[in-house]
Amino acid sequence: DSGVTQTPKHLITATGQRVTLRCSPRSGDLSVYWYQQSLDQGLQFLIQYYNGEERAKGNILERFSAQQFPDLHSELNLSSLELGDSALYFCASSPTTGLYTGELFFGEGSRLTVL
Amino acid sequence: SQQGEEDPQALSIQEGENATMNCSYKTSINNLQWYRQNSGRGLVHLILIRSNEREKHSGRLRVTLDTSKKSSSLLITASRAADTASYFCATDRIQGAQKLVFGQGTRLTINP
């Protein structure tokens, strides 16, 4: 058990809909990362938050947004869903606060299926 | 875009044999990390090697790093059926945003 909790584990929805994925980081970790894993694209970095502020942004679509709340949990919002958004979405947390990225602790992921 | 590229994409060996996976990357890094993923599960950190280190050991794992060639290798000795998983290298780049960039992974199958 990594200590990172993601909900829901599975989600099935239709095209055009909006979903919210939730992540609770390990106790004490200030950094939260979101990754998308699909068969054709591999593991893609989406966005990182550190203590409530956006720290880094990757290939995140404009239809996607995220935030980190004062209690450090994070939510990833996916809207106007398309079939291609079907993937595993991972949240990871890290205690690293410096200039380098250390070990990431991953949750078990949220599997999104868009029909 | 992917920073690391693993080689081979898939590897199948007999239990007890050693497994070697390679990773190449493109830009200067702070560190390189290896992760393991069982099918459909979350990634688990295995080992981190800093840019000023050349070799690191952890149990049956041995990682090497050659910054001049921008490559790393992960050796698993005396493989077990439970080692069956996908293995990913991830790089923490010096320039650019603070994040880990993952390769496409090597799918390792250990046959009993």
Side-chain angles (χ1 to χ4, degrees), chain A residues 7-76:
Chain A
T7 57
K9 287 185 170 47
H10 302 276
L11 193 54
I12 301 174
T13 189
T15 54
Q17 295 298 304
R18 172 190 170 95
V19 298
T20 297
L21 310 180
R22 182 189 168 98
C23 169
S24 294
R26 289 190 328 153
S27 177
D29 286 356
L30 299 179
S31 287
V32 169
Y33 301 75
W34 286 97
Y35 284 86
Q36 177 194 56
Q37 187 178 37
S38 59
L39 284 175
D40 56 343
Q41 293 291 321
L43 203 65
Q44 295 284 333
F45 169 74
L46 296 178
I47 198 163
Q48 182 216 353
Y49 281 85
Y50 174 73
N51 202 21
E53 293 190 2
E54 182 183 306
R55 178 66 69 88
K57 209 166 186 176
N59 299 324
I60 186 167
L61 299 172
E62 286 190 9
R63 299 183 287 108
F64 296 0
S65 65
Q67 54 184 326
Q68 186 180 28
F69 295 86
D71 66 353
L72 300 178
H73 91 270
S74 179
E75 293 182 355
L76 179 66

Side-chain angles (χ1 to χ4, degrees), chain A residues 33 35 37 40-45 48 55-56 59 88 90 96 98-104 106-108 111, chain B residues 1-2 30-31 33 35 37 40-45 48 50 88 92-94 97-104:
Chain A
Y33 301 75
Y35 284 86
Q37 187 178 37
D40 56 343
Q41 293 291 321
L43 203 65
Q44 295 284 333
F45 169 74
Q48 182 216 353
R55 178 66 69 88
N59 299 324
L88 256 176
F90 286 106
T96 306
L99 297 176
Y100 70 93
T101 306
E103 175 182 355
L104 298 189
F106 280 81
E108 288 297 312
R111 182 175 294 280
Chain B
S1 63
Q2 300 295 336
N30 290 313
N31 64 66
Q33 303 178 33
Y35 287 79
Q37 183 183 32
R41 304 292 300 276
L43 282 77
V44 175
H45 181 264
L48 180 155
R50 294 184 172 81
F88 295 86
D92 176 31
R93 299 183 298 186
I94 289 177
Q98 184 184 47
K99 62 181 184 287
L100 286 185
V101 180
F102 285 81
Q104 294 281 24

Side-chain angles (χ1 to χ4, degrees), chain B residues 8-70:
Chain B
Q9 290 188 338
L11 180 61
S12 181
I13 61 174
Q14 294 299 120
E15 195 167 19
E17 294 181 339
N18 295 341
T20 299
M21 289 158 273
N22 302 297
C23 169
S24 61
Y25 58 93
K26 298 174 183 175
T27 62
S28 297
I29 60 173
N30 290 313
N31 64 66
L32 185 144
Q33 303 178 33
W34 286 89
Y35 287 79
R36 165 195 167 122
Q37 183 183 32
N38 288 352
S39 183
R41 304 292 300 276
L43 282 77
V44 175
H45 181 264
L46 295 176
I47 198 164
L48 180 155
I49 186 165
R50 294 184 172 81
S51 61
N52 61 354
E53 297 175 311
R54 292 296 167 258
E55 187 171 313
K56 207 163 182 180
H57 296 255
S58 177
R60 293 184 296 113
L61 305 181
R62 172 178 168 253
V63 168
T64 62
L65 179 64
D66 187 335
T67 53
S68 66
K69 295 181 179 178
K70 292 187 169 56

Side-chain angles (χ1 to χ4, degrees), chain B residues 60-88:
Chain B
R60 293 184 296 113
L61 305 181
R62 172 178 168 253
V63 168
T64 62
L65 179 64
D66 187 335
T67 53
S68 66
K69 295 181 179 178
K70 292 187 169 56
S71 67
S72 173
S73 67
L74 170 67
L75 169 67
I76 303 174
T77 60
S79 63
R80 306 166 181 169
D83 293 329
T84 294
S86 291
Y87 292 81
F88 295 86

